[in-house]
């Protein structure tokens, strides 16, 4: 994976800073931090307070990570007098995933001033609309034939082999191993590989990250009985190397990954219930780690931990759940490895696991928790000043062990999922659009609803809920029938003369194109996807059909590339470009609309999907 910095950047004039002490920081980021409806096409910008040294704009200073996509590959450029960095992804993000965007302190101004701390923002890509009905689509046995109880507990969905599809990693407590299921490209997981840990460690909470900065997703799991974490490095093919086991505090139950000290690499933190501590394990920069440092988390019996930027300063903070004190503490990070308690809030029970996101769409991070002793899930909203509003709780099944946030119905807000060990169920709560939730929808397991996650495993851009049953050692895949819609990235987004059309219909201004000029058209989507380009006159969008919404009058259109080749194919980066000469004899002011049409085998109803339209006006 490589980034490409246009050579022309090095010919730009350098704007000198008034002094080396001049302030150099991030002033604006797009997409808007914490938005839940960002385009999956990966156009990200950072505006800085001073001109940037082009030589420092590279993969060390600019990092983009998708929760499921992993390390994102793309093109970097400088704009606006070298004060703005633009990242354009070489392939779409996964729909509905959380994306983390980081500028590290390796970035420097033209005057030699370094960014003082790593600056991190997060956003969520839009998920496709789906009906509000989840049904069981399939199950998956995690055991070897004839094997007894292995107690599967926890799951990670992420692209291990960089093929664009989510694979699965499942920790198993009693067999002390992690089982790797590779996606067949259609959401199927027929076989698995066992990656063993030393006996008796009981692996549980887990996360994915690129620890050695090689562009491949690695994996870390905390071991309840082993008082340790195990780090599995990716071998560069999607397979995992034997783990490195690192000591932490006693009884680790929670785990998160973040850059604690602004050095550009990913560190590990655990919450240790028995010792009542947090453990910080700093990355040495190459995927090896310094010994853990232990400190208090502002609660009693630290059990859960999750990282996010709670106060909008670009520095990652941590939320810590206290099993004994039944509360949650917010600890603000200083960018140098230090954390200070800013606020605490009663959780309404023992917070076993937590998740973060902007549930009320006000632009700041909120936290949710499953409360294991009260049969409730808890929503603790950010008050916008580094603290919490009082928790609001909702009834769920007894002994709730896991929780996650995601836009299950594709309506632009974050729904909530939880699990119930004692009732053998999973619960889905739909967001009302303001951070309050409706009554639960109950989904059944066989023995114990121990964990629940969500992801787009089949590439259809709506979300699947994946439940884990630790007594049956099975995965349950629940899905919703899709609504007719325009795909956010499948089929791509047209980019004309360097200006991208926004996903969706309407809201994009007509693009002026000069008569007699040559227009460059770019199609973006999934690698290997076939497509063609109809052109014609726009019409008011009608009702959605199985392929999305047609924005062209069907009786007055023609195919640009259909005259030469029936179909074009997107290359390995998920793009295709060609030029179209604009005849000088066309009448000025004539509006012409372009709309890609991509072959989409996942759309079984019709076999193709419309891209967004883009209208040009001739002048």
């Amino acid at each position: 994976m490589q980034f490409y910095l246009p050579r022309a950047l090095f010919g730009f004039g350098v704007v000198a800073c008034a002094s080396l002490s001049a302030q150099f920081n991030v002033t604006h980021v797009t997409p808007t931090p914490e938005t839940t409806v960002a385009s999956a096409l990966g156009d990200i910008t950072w505006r800085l307070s001073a001109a940037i040294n082009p030589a420092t704009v590279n993969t060390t200073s600019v990092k983009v990570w998708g929760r499921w996509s992993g390390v994102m590959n793309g093109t970097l450029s400088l704009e606006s007098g070298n004060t703005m960095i633009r990242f354009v992804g070489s392939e779409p993000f996964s729909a509905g995933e959380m994306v983390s965007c980081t500028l590290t302190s390796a970035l420097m101004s033209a005057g030699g001033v370094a960014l003082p701390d790593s600056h991190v923002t997060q956003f969520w890509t839009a998920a496709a609309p789906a009906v509000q009905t989840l049904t069981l689509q399939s199950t998956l046995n995690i055991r070897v034939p004839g094997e007894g109880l292995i107690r599967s507990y926890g799951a990670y969905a992420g692209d291990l082999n960089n093929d664009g599809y989510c694979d699965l990693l499942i920790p198993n407590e009693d067999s002390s191993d992690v089982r790797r299921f590779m996606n067949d490209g259609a959401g199927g997981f027929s076989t698995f590989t066992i990656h063993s840990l030393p006996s008796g460690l009981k692996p549980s909470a887990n996360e994915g990250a690129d620890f050695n900065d090689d562009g491949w997703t690695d994996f870390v799991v905390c071991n309840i009985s082993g008082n340790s974490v195990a780090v599995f490095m990716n071998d560069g093919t999607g397979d995992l190397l034997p783990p490195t086991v690192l000591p932490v505090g006693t009884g680790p139950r929670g785990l998160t990954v973040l850059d604690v000290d602004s050095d550009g690499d990913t560190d590990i933190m655990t919450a240790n219930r028995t010792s009542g501590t947090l453990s910080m394990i700093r990355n040495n920069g190459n995927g090896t780690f310094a010994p853990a440092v232990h400190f208090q988390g502002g609660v009693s019996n630290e059990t859960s931990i999750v990282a996010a930027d709670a106060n909008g300063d670009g520095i990652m903070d941590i939320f810590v759940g206290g099993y004994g004190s039944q509360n949650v503490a917010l600890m603000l990070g200083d960018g140098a490895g230090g954390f200070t308690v800013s606020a605490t809030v009663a959780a309404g029970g023992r917070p076993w696991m937590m998740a973060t996101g902007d549930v009320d769409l006000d632009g700041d991070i909120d936290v949710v928790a499953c409360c294991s002793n009260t049969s409730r899930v808890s929503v603790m909203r950010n008050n916008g000043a580094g603290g919490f509003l009082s928790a609001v709780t909702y009834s769920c099944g007894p002994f709730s062990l896991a929780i996650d946030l995601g836009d299950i119905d594709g309506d632009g807000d974050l729904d909530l999922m939880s699990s119930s060990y004692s009732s053998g169920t999973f619960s889905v709560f739909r967001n009302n659009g303001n951070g309050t939730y409706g009554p639960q929808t109950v989904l059944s397991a066989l023995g114990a609803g121990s964990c629940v996650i969500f992801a787009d495993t089949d590439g259809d851009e709506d979300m699947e809920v994946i439940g884990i049953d630790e007594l049956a050692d099975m995965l349950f895949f629940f899905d919703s029938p899709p609504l007719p819609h325009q795909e956010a990235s499948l089929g791509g987004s047209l980019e004309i003369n360097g200006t991208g059309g926004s996903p969706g219909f309407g809201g994009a201004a007509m693009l002026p194109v000069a008569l007699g000029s040559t227009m460059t058209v770019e199609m973006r989507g999934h690698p290997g996807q076939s497509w063609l380009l109809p052109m014609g006159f726009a019409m008011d969008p009608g009702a959605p059909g199985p392929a999305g919404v047609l924005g062209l009058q069907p009786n007055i259109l023609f195919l640009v590339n259909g005259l030469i080749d029936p179909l074009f194919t997107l290359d390995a980066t998920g793009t295709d470009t060609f030029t179209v000469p604009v005849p000088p004899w066309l009448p000025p002011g004539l509006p012409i609309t372009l709309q890609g049409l991509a072959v989409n085998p996942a759309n079984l109803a019709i076999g193709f999907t419309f891209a967004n339209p883009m209208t040009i006006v001739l002048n």
Side-chain angles (χ1 to χ4, degrees):
M1 288 189 170
Q2 296 179 339
F3 288 131
Y4 300 98
L5 190 64
R7 188 174 298 173
L9 288 178
F10 295 97
F12 288 359
V14 176
V15 180
C17 292
S19 71
L20 291 181
S21 61
Q23 196 173 40
F24 185 54
N25 52 41
V26 178
T27 60
H28 186 71
V29 181
T30 62
T32 304
E34 310 313 329
T35 183
T36 55
V37 292
S39 169
L41 299 175
D43 190 342
I44 302 166
T45 67
W46 299 263
R47 189 172 292 277
L48 280 296
S49 60
I52 303 157
N53 179 352
T56 66
V57 181
N58 50 46
T59 57
T60 299
S61 61
V62 183
K63 297 175 181 289
V64 180
W65 168 269
R67 179 182 182 184
W68 306 319
S69 301
V71 175
M72 288 305 296
N73 180 20
T75 302
L76 288 165
S77 59
L78 284 175
E79 301 176 9
S80 301
N82 288 13
T83 62
M84 189 172 79
I85 300 172
R86 182 179 296 276
F87 170 90
V88 178
S90 60
E91 58 191 42
F93 292 108
S94 184
E97 75 174 326
M98 186 171 66
V99 177
S100 298
C101 311
T102 304
L103 296 185
T104 76
S105 54
L107 186 72
M108 300 188 72
S109 73
V113 179
L115 200 66
D117 300 294
S118 286
H119 186 279
V120 183
T121 56
Q122 296 177 323
F123 62 84
W124 300 67
T125 59
V131 299
Q132 296 192 15
T133 302
L134 286 162
T135 57
L136 181 64
Q137 300 296 309
S138 62
T139 60
L140 188 63
N141 193 342
I142 307 171
R143 298 176 187 169
V144 174
E147 190 174 25
L149 181 68
I150 60 175
R151 204 174 295 275
S152 301
Y153 187 85
Y156 173 73
D159 185 1
L160 298 176
N161 59 352
N162 291 342
D163 65 351
Y165 296 95
C166 286
D167 309 303
L168 295 173
L169 292 168
I170 311 297
N172 305 286
E173 292 184 352
D174 288 2
S175 56
S176 197
D177 61 42
V178 173
R179 305 198 176 186
R180 176 173 55 91
F181 294 81
M182 303 304 291
N183 196 320
D184 63 8
F189 304 91
S190 57
T191 60
F192 61 82
T193 303
I194 298 176
H195 299 273
S196 296
L197 288 161
S199 179
L201 293 191
K202 290 190 179 295
S204 178
N206 56 89
E207 287 287 351
D210 181 12
F211 291 116
N212 57 356
D213 206 24
D214 65 352
W216 294 83
T217 298
D218 309 310
F219 182 66
V220 58
V221 62
C222 72
N223 305 304
I224 299 170
S225 298
N227 304 324
S228 61
V229 298
V231 179
F232 293 85
M233 292 297 181
N234 197 313
D235 71 350
T237 69
D239 200 356
L240 300 180
L241 298 172
T244 300
V245 178
L246 307 168
V248 295
T250 307
R253 290 281 183 168
L255 179 144
T256 193
V257 294
L258 70 159
D259 181 4
V260 301
D261 47 12
S262 298
D263 61 357
D265 52 39
T266 303
D267 309 303
I268 301 168
M269 293 189 71
T270 64
N272 314 305
R273 180 187 299 174
T274 306
S275 58
T277 59
L278 303 179
S279 294
M280 179 192 301
I281 309 173
R282 296 198 192 200
N283 194 328
N284 294 322
N286 57 1
T288 65
F289 296 88
V293 175
H294 314 289
F295 58 98
Q296 300 295 316
V299 296
S300 175
N301 301 113
E302 286 84 339
T303 291
S304 50
I305 183 171
V306 63
D309 178 12
N311 58 353
D313 63 355
I315 297 173
M316 293 297 276
D317 311 305
I318 54 173
F319 296 88
V320 184
Y323 184 85
S325 51
Q326 301 191 35
N327 64 347
V328 172
L330 168 59
M331 301 188 75
L332 297 179
D334 63 6
F339 294 89
T340 303
V341 175
S342 168
T344 61
V345 62
R350 293 172 176 164
W352 193 283
M353 183 179 175
M354 299 187 300
T356 59
D358 181 11
V359 302
D360 52 6
L361 304 180
D362 65 352
D364 51 34
I365 281 287
D366 310 300
V367 61
V368 298
C370 56
C371 300
S372 60
N373 63 326
T374 57
S375 302
R376 314 284 291 182
V377 294
S378 177
V379 178
M380 293 155 282
R381 293 164 53 197
N382 194 318
N383 66 5
F388 300 97
L389 301 176
S390 297
V392 177
T393 65
Y394 300 87
S395 178
C396 65
F399 200 1
S400 184
L401 296 182
I403 198 165
D404 208 347
L405 288 169
D407 189 1
I408 298 301
D409 49 15
D411 64 353
D413 52 37
L414 297 178
D415 307 307
L416 189 154
M417 293 136 278
S418 68
S419 65
S420 170
Y421 179 93
S422 296
S423 64
T425 59
F426 313 104
S427 297
V428 176
F429 299 83
R430 308 282 179 173
N431 195 323
N432 294 322
N434 59 2
T436 65
Y437 289 86
Q440 63 179 323
T441 298
V442 179
L443 309 172
S444 294
L446 285 181
S450 57
C451 297
V452 63
I453 63 171
F454 75 103
D456 177 19
T457 59
D458 56 8
D460 66 354
E461 303 200 356
D462 62 22
M463 300 296 102
E464 290 80 57
V465 174
I466 306 167
I468 299 95
D469 186 324
E470 69 172 281
L471 295 182
D473 294 324
M474 293 180 65
L475 300 179
F476 295 77
F477 293 82
F478 301 92
D479 203 356
S480 301
L483 285 172
H485 68 286
Q486 178 201 306
E487 304 283 358
S489 63
L490 191 60
S493 177
L494 299 176
E495 292 190 0
I496 304 173
N497 290 346
T499 301
S502 301
F505 291 79
M510 289 192 295
L511 179 71
V513 174
L515 292 169
S517 68
T518 298
M519 180 175 63
T520 299
V521 177
E522 180 174 2
M523 187 72 169
R524 297 178 52 91
H526 288 297
Q529 195 167 23
S530 298
W531 69 282
L532 50 83
L533 181 64
M535 297 178 65
F537 297 104
M539 68 175 183
D540 291 334
V549 179
L550 178 64
L552 294 169
Q553 296 182 28
N555 58 335
I556 312 176
L557 60 83
F558 61 94
L559 301 178
V560 173
N561 54 335
L563 302 176
I564 305 168
D565 189 330
L567 291 174
F568 283 174
T569 302
L570 300 181
D571 64 18
T573 68
T575 60
D576 195 9
T577 60
F578 69 98
T579 57
V580 180
V582 180
W585 43 263
L586 289 173
L590 180 69
I592 299 176
T593 297
L594 299 81
Q595 184 172 13
L597 186 153
V599 175
N600 178 8
N603 188 341
L604 301 179
I606 197 166
F608 62 87
T609 299
F610 291 122
N612 63 286
M614 168 62 77
T615 299
I616 64 173
V617 58
L618 304 179
N619 59 14

